[in-house]
Amino acid sequence: MRTNSFRTLLLAGAVTLLGTGCDSLFSLEVEAERICKTENDLSFPAAPPISGTVEQTFEIPLGDFASALPEDAEVETELRLKLFDATASTDISGIQRASLSVRKPGSTEYVLLGEFQRAGTGGSTNKLQLTSSGPVDVLDLARQEQLEFRFQATGSPPTQSWTADVEVCVGAKASASYFGLLF
């Protein structure tokens, strides 16, 4: 009898808390404002002489970002591109479009994080900056130690192999609800 009374009291208390908007008492949120990685002399392959695409993948370690999250809880994640800045060893003004995507853990699917589209002809340049496409939800992002990113450039990239110093920063947020674990 005592166990049933305790469960009833606990359930009644939880319903009362939820009814008053206190469901946040049963959740945990972890956020990393900026996780950055710099790659010096990142190699890019030569593009075909006419028009083509170059692609490069690299990884960004998340470390113990999600160590505070419970193992059994459902986790919602948000990843946002904060900065993508590349300084190439050659003229890259022929790049008309570029994008940065992240691969969902355990799949071959990439999700767009940011992009660039050249407006008109601005002369030669060796700089490229991407703009965030907004936050994306990447299933089980928080439980990964590192994520794989893919940079793609189309148009008329350099026809010889080239290198670039690349700095990438992302913001990550994860939240988990303890409510399902308690009741």
Side-chain angles (χ1 to χ4, degrees):
M1 286 286 245
R2 192 166 237 198
T3 303
N4 287 338
S5 299
F6 178 71
R7 284 185 184 156
T8 304
L9 180 62
L10 191 57
L11 186 56
V15 168
T16 304
L17 285 173
L18 289 173
T20 60
C22 295
D23 58 335
S24 63
L25 291 174
F26 297 105
S27 65
L28 173 68
E29 190 171 284
V30 178
E31 183 172 4
E33 184 65 30
R34 284 173 90 85
I35 301 171
C36 298
K37 182 173 184 181
T38 301
E39 286 278 343
N40 292 320
D41 295 326
L42 187 62
S43 297
F44 292 88
I50 299 173
S51 185
T53 300
V54 294
E55 184 176 298
Q56 182 58 275
T57 59
F58 54 92
E59 294 180 342
I60 294 181
L62 295 178
D64 62 353
F65 168 72
S67 61
L69 296 173
E71 288 295 320
D72 297 337
E74 186 174 308
V75 176
E76 293 180 17
T77 61
E78 181 180 294
L79 184 70
R80 179 186 301 268
L81 177 65
K82 297 286 189 166
L83 172 75
F84 183 95
D85 188 19
T87 303
S89 59
T90 189
D91 179 21
I92 56 173
S93 61
I95 294 175
Q96 296 302 310
R97 299 189 103 155
S99 65
L100 182 70
S101 303
V102 62
R103 182 162 49 166
K104 288 187 170 191
S107 86
T108 58
E109 181 184 348
Y110 282 89
V111 178
L112 181 68
L113 279 179
E115 55 194 336
F116 162 85
Q117 185 169 347
R118 188 166 311 283
T121 57
S124 68
T125 184
N126 68 337
K127 298 240 182 231
L128 183 68
Q129 287 188 317
L130 273 63
T131 305
S132 176
S133 59
V136 296
D137 180 17
V138 182
L139 182 65
D140 277 339
L141 157 75
R143 302 201 194 283
Q144 305 303 309
E145 289 185 20
Q146 58 189 15
L147 293 176
E148 181 180 286
F149 292 83
R150 178 179 67 189
F151 171 78
Q152 285 185 315
T154 60
S156 298
T159 56
Q160 305 89 1
S161 297
W162 52 286
T163 62
D165 294 339
V166 177
E167 183 178 11
V168 179
C169 294
V170 294
K173 186 189 316 187
S175 59
S177 174
Y178 283 97
F179 188 74
L181 297 175
L182 296 175
F183 300 103

